[in-house]
Amino acid sequence: MRANMATLRKWIYGFLFFCGALLIANVAFPPPLEKAYNTSTLIVDKNGQWLNAYTVENGRWRIKAELDGIDENFIAQLIAIEDKRFYRHSGVDPIAVVRAIRSWKHHGRAVSGASTLTMQLVRKLEPRPRTLRSKAIETIRAVQIEMRLSKREILELYLTHTPYGANIEGIVAASRIYFDKTPNQLTHAQIAQLISLPQAPEARRPDRHPENAEKTRNKILAKLHKTGFITSLQLREAKEEKISTRKYTLPNDAWLTGRKLKNIATPLYPKITSSLDTRIQTMLARLGRDYTQSDQFNVAAIIIDNETMKVRGHLGSAGRNKPGGWIDMTSRPRSPGSTLKPFIYAFAFDDGLSAPGSFVLDAPTRFGSYQPENFNRRYYGQVRIFEALGHSLNVPAVIALDKVGTDRFESALNLTGAKVSKPNSVNSDAGLALALGGAGMTVEDIAILYAALANGGQARPLVWLENETPHSSYKLMSEESARKITTILRQAPTPNGRVPHWLTQNSHAIAYKTGTSYGFRDAWAAGYTDKWTIIVWVGRPDGAPRVGKTGRQAAAPLLFDIFANLPGVGSDQHYQKIQSAPRGLKVFGGTAINQPEILFPPNGAEIAVSEFGKAGRGLSFAARSPTADPLQWYVDGKPISRQETSRKTIWYPKGNGFYKVSVVAKNGSATHSFIRVIAFDRNNSYEN
């Protein structure tokens, strides 16, 4: 009796030891499930419509399968054909194993397979030679997976990794590429074809071997009919359906947006639901392509829903074939031109320095070493703020920024999430050039700022994901100042051929501003309504100039075309007369330069000449006049006359020495330069 008890204890201990060893091995050598979740990143729009997808290793399409998006008939028929006891076994089907052994003994070769769906998944995750040892490992791995995952999860992984020929893996990619359908839209014939394909993916590819594909499909259809999944009529109709040899391409829309967002994806959540709207995105891409057909330049644009700050349309480039077509120009800093002027005046309104009806002097004005000029180099004297902004006059904007303060203005813009890229070497005086585009900003930065105008002065970051939590806002300006700026910009002169919104019904009341960078390198148009904010950039990514192409000519027409294709017109807006400024704000400021400025020769210059007198080439004087009246030049008090033919003032020095060069304006103001003239000989030596 004692001997029997001792033997029993040994068996129990041995069994427990064996089970413990199995558990330890199971933990120490887990199945490689991390590979199972390596799938293609998928970018969809706010409604779930595909925009873009990205391959995994070796350029394979492997898109995550979800049972909720797959036809229930496909699932049931797949299990009936491949693994009918799938829901009853634990990774290994003993009945199928016994049947396979018997058939092997009877026929001398493998006739009936015993691999379950779980074992097939193992084979895909860990490819091995088809040997008995490999089969044993697959069996163990299948049990391990069944211990860790539910049947639903296993089925989804199987349908994600199943090979369908070429670089196609998974039911989702196969349905899209072979049939241009989702897995819940398949016909009986297509279901049968996709069930038969994984058994010999390359030999049964419909695009290369349509006869084999049809033959094996019909065999599967016959089995499905025999098991009662389809009727005789459905069988006949399915067999009559032709095999399609076409392969469809997966969507490749908003590819630069996808490149921006794809790094957000994780192995467990490879699908990214962007904030884009496919209808708006398609419209924007079409307009961008049409707009750039006849010239070698590129465009970038962004469309924002003001209420949510969600990006509904994003065009980083008009096409890969355009200059710099692979670059997302919405995220590259460029000179914003005059697009920041509305915010400068809004700050002046907030500070109580001016009002839309305040007068400001538009005349040549110097700020330390910096002297801005109007774009057309014409000046209009005393103008009101709304006129200066509506006609984008440069000098009044710099006057306003000088009063607001460059550091404060730049800091406020940065606090919104928009980044002002400015060289560290810029001093406070040169920083006034920020009013005219003397810094770098992106299309996305400008969108944040103009959406703040539409939202009553509240600035928020852009939202790129549909389910993203809204960001907190930053008060860039008061609601009253935003309203005043909006009124001015709504009544700005419209582009040629465009009717002002207050003269039409059911049209977008667009408040907009254009901008042109130095040298015609960047053309901008930024506009907004109550519903939308749109920013358009036009130019060449390499910075090459496009002479004569201003924001008003090159970018504003596209801005208005985009608005014309958007919904949400809103209520009609009437023309509003802007009131005069209150008594204390009648005059904003500005001090004109009342004396001429010598451009050449500069004060203190030392000038070498090869020959004196009329035999030499002479020195051509140049100066800037505070008025449009001509200037009179003098050298040591003696007048120098203009030449009759060239209308230039040229002086021929008679010898070495120091000279006083003076220029006198009509109002009597004068400026002087003291220079030295020396002889320059052929041997590169100076004569004193």
Side-chain angles (χ1 to χ4, degrees):
M1 184 68 178
R2 290 181 178 177
N4 291 337
M5 289 297 295
T7 302
L8 179 60
R9 281 196 297 269
K10 287 181 180 179
W11 277 102
I12 293 173
Y13 291 151
F15 177 75
L16 292 175
F17 177 80
F18 178 73
C19 291
L22 286 179
L23 290 174
I24 293 172
N26 182 42
V27 174
F29 303 100
L33 289 179
E34 66 279 357
K35 294 182 180 180
Y37 297 104
N38 179 25
T39 58
S40 297
T41 298
L42 179 63
I43 312 293
V44 300
D45 83 337
K46 69 186 186 75
N47 298 314
Q49 188 166 339
W50 279 30
L51 292 172
N52 218 312
Y54 296 87
T55 58
V56 293
E57 71 278 358
N58 300 321
R60 294 183 173 276
W61 294 111
R62 184 190 300 147
I63 298 170
K64 182 180 179 181
E66 297 177 349
L67 292 188
D68 291 339
I70 302 174
D71 190 339
E72 293 180 355
N73 291 323
F74 176 87
I75 302 297
Q77 293 170 24
L78 170 70
I79 292 174
I81 297 296
E82 290 291 331
D83 189 0
K84 61 183 178 181
R85 284 175 288 275
F86 173 72
Y87 288 107
R88 298 198 297 272
H89 63 64
S90 298
V92 180
D93 186 353
I95 298 175
V97 172
V98 171
R99 185 186 66 244
I101 293 174
R102 286 179 177 175
S103 65
W104 179 73
K105 285 184 177 181
H106 181 72
H107 296 281
R109 58 186 176 86
V111 175
S112 175
S115 293
T116 63
L117 294 181
T118 312
M119 294 171 70
Q120 292 179 45
L121 173 62
V122 171
R123 192 180 306 139
K124 181 62 180 173
L125 297 179
E126 293 183 299
R128 291 185 177 86
R130 303 296 291 271
T131 63
L132 289 176
R133 179 177 179 275
S134 298
K135 202 72 172 178
I137 295 174
E138 289 173 8
T139 301
I140 296 172
R141 286 299 200 199
V143 174
Q144 286 183 299
I145 289 177
E146 293 273 351
M147 293 172 65
R148 287 167 168 80
L149 302 177
S150 67
K151 289 292 185 179
R152 181 184 180 88
E153 291 171 325
I154 293 171
L155 198 53
E156 287 183 337
L157 288 180
Y158 171 82
L159 292 172
T160 298
H161 289 269
T162 306
Y164 284 95
N167 63 338
I168 306 168
E169 295 183 5
I171 181 66
V172 179
S175 299
R176 288 275 187 172
I177 294 174
Y178 286 130
F179 307 124
D180 194 26
K181 292 182 177 181
T182 59
N184 59 0
Q185 299 173 322
L186 301 173
T187 65
H188 292 295
Q190 291 166 347
I191 288 175
Q193 186 174 332
L194 292 180
I195 291 175
S196 69
L197 251 177
Q199 298 170 4
E202 292 302 322
R204 299 176 182 180
R205 280 177 56 177
D207 59 318
R208 291 190 175 181
H209 309 287
E211 293 180 357
N212 282 349
E214 183 177 9
K215 181 179 178 180
T216 53
R217 179 201 69 180
N218 290 344
K219 286 183 178 180
I220 296 296
L221 285 171
K223 290 182 179 180
L224 294 175
H225 175 256
K226 184 178 180 180
T227 53
F229 280 101
I230 58 176
T231 65
S232 298
L233 177 60
Q234 290 171 333
L235 174 63
R236 288 196 302 271
E237 290 176 344
K239 285 185 175 181
E240 291 174 358
E241 190 172 312
K242 291 184 178 180
I243 293 290
S244 174
T245 58
R246 178 179 177 181
K247 287 178 68 178
Y248 296 88
T249 57
L250 295 179
N252 191 26
D253 300 323
W255 50 282
L256 285 173
T257 317
R259 193 170 71 184
K260 181 192 295 288
L261 299 179
K262 70 175 183 177
N263 292 331
I264 301 174
T266 64
L268 291 178
Y269 301 100
K271 184 169 74 173
I272 299 172
T273 303
S274 72
S275 59
L276 297 183
D277 185 317
T278 298
R279 292 174 299 176
I280 293 176
Q281 181 66 29
T282 302
M283 173 271 294
L284 183 60
R286 173 179 56 81
L287 290 177
R289 287 193 303 270
D290 293 345
Y291 198 72
T292 56
Q293 275 186 348
S294 59
D295 206 349
Q296 286 299 307
F297 63 94
N298 214 330
V299 302
I302 196 167
I303 302 174
I304 309 299
D305 184 328
N306 294 330
E307 182 179 357
T308 62
M309 289 301 292
K310 290 179 178 177
V311 180
R312 296 306 189 193
H314 174 254
L315 185 68
S317 165
R320 296 178 177 88
N321 61 330
K322 298 299 177 183
W326 289 87
I327 303 173
D328 181 2
M329 292 307 298
T330 65
S331 61
R332 298 303 174 97
R334 307 287 293 198
S335 168
S338 299
T339 57
L340 297 182
K341 289 177 181 176
F343 306 95
I344 298 172
Y345 290 119
F347 275 44
F349 296 165
D350 272 354
D351 292 347
L353 300 174
S354 68
S358 299
F359 282 95
V360 61
L361 181 63
D362 179 39
T365 306
R366 180 182 292 279
F367 303 84
S369 61
Y370 178 55
Q371 183 175 340
E373 294 180 333
N374 283 338
F375 184 78
N376 59 5
R377 298 188 178 180
R378 295 178 60 187
Y379 301 93
Y380 301 91
Q382 292 288 346
V383 296
R384 287 171 291 186
I385 293 292
F386 73 86
E387 295 170 328
L389 178 55
H391 294 278
S392 197
L393 302 180
N394 288 344
V395 174
V398 177
I399 291 173
L401 181 58
D402 187 43
K403 290 180 176 293
V404 167
T406 55
D407 291 341
R408 176 205 168 197
F409 182 67
E410 180 184 346
S411 298
L413 297 187
N414 286 328
L415 286 172
T416 66
K419 181 175 176 55
V420 179
S421 302
K422 194 173 71 169
N424 294 329
S425 60
V426 174
N427 57 44
S428 59
D429 286 340
L432 292 172
L434 181 61
L436 311 181
M441 297 193 78
T442 68
V443 170
E444 296 169 14
D445 294 332
I446 301 297
I448 292 174
L449 299 180
Y450 274 82
L453 285 173
N455 287 324
Q458 297 293 330
R460 289 177 291 166
L462 303 182
V463 176
W464 293 91
L465 303 177
E466 183 62 21
N467 299 321
E468 187 174 346
T469 304
H471 299 276
S472 58
S473 62
Y474 169 76
K475 186 176 181 180
L476 180 62
M477 66 189 73
S478 68
E479 185 175 357
E480 179 65 15
S481 293
R483 184 189 61 78
K484 291 176 180 178
I485 294 296
T486 298
T487 300
I488 296 172
L489 296 183
R490 274 181 176 162
Q491 296 173 183
T494 56
N496 293 336
R498 311 286 174 164
V499 179
H501 65 85
W502 60 82
L503 298 179
T504 61
Q505 289 185 335
N506 299 321
S507 63
H508 289 280
I510 304 171
Y512 86 107
K513 181 73 183 72
T514 59
T516 308
S517 68
Y518 178 77
F520 300 97
R521 290 173 171 82
D522 307 276
W524 294 82
Y528 60 95
T529 62
D530 292 340
K531 173 66 176 175
W532 306 104
T533 292
I534 301 174
I535 310 298
V536 173
W537 171 89
V538 180
R540 289 182 58 92
D542 60 2
R546 300 178 65 231
V547 178
K549 300 296 184 181
T550 64
R552 181 177 175 82
Q553 296 169 332
L558 179 57
L559 176 79
F560 276 71
D561 285 345
I562 296 172
F563 269 117
N565 284 272
L566 284 176
V569 172
S571 59
D572 293 334
Q573 299 286 336
H574 301 289
Y575 182 85
Q576 298 181 41
K577 181 180 179 180
I578 297 178
Q579 301 297 322
S580 300
R583 180 175 299 178
L585 300 177
K586 287 289 185 183
V587 178
F588 182 36
T591 302
I593 297 175
N594 294 318
Q595 61 186 40
E597 178 187 5
I598 295 178
L599 302 178
F600 184 85
N603 187 43
E606 192 173 84
I607 303 172
V609 297
S610 57
E611 294 183 81
F612 293 111
K614 292 289 185 179
R617 299 179 60 182
L619 302 178
S620 179
F621 291 162
R624 181 183 287 114
S625 173
T627 64
D629 298 317
L631 301 171
Q632 177 61 53
W633 289 89
Y634 297 86
V635 175
D636 289 341
K638 297 179 180 179
I640 307 297
S641 302
R642 284 188 179 186
Q643 292 189 347
E644 292 294 334
T645 54
S646 65
R647 304 302 296 167
K648 294 181 179 179
T649 302
I650 299 178
W651 172 56
Y652 299 91
K654 294 181 179 180
N656 295 334
F658 293 90
Y659 297 89
K660 177 184 177 182
V661 179
S662 305
V663 62
V664 181
K666 188 176 181 179
N667 61 8
S669 60
T671 303
H672 311 282
S673 285
F674 295 90
I675 65 172
R676 182 187 183 191
V677 176
I678 57 178
F680 179 75
D681 65 10
R682 302 290 182 183
N683 297 320
N684 295 327
S685 61
Y686 295 97
E687 296 181 1
N688 295 316

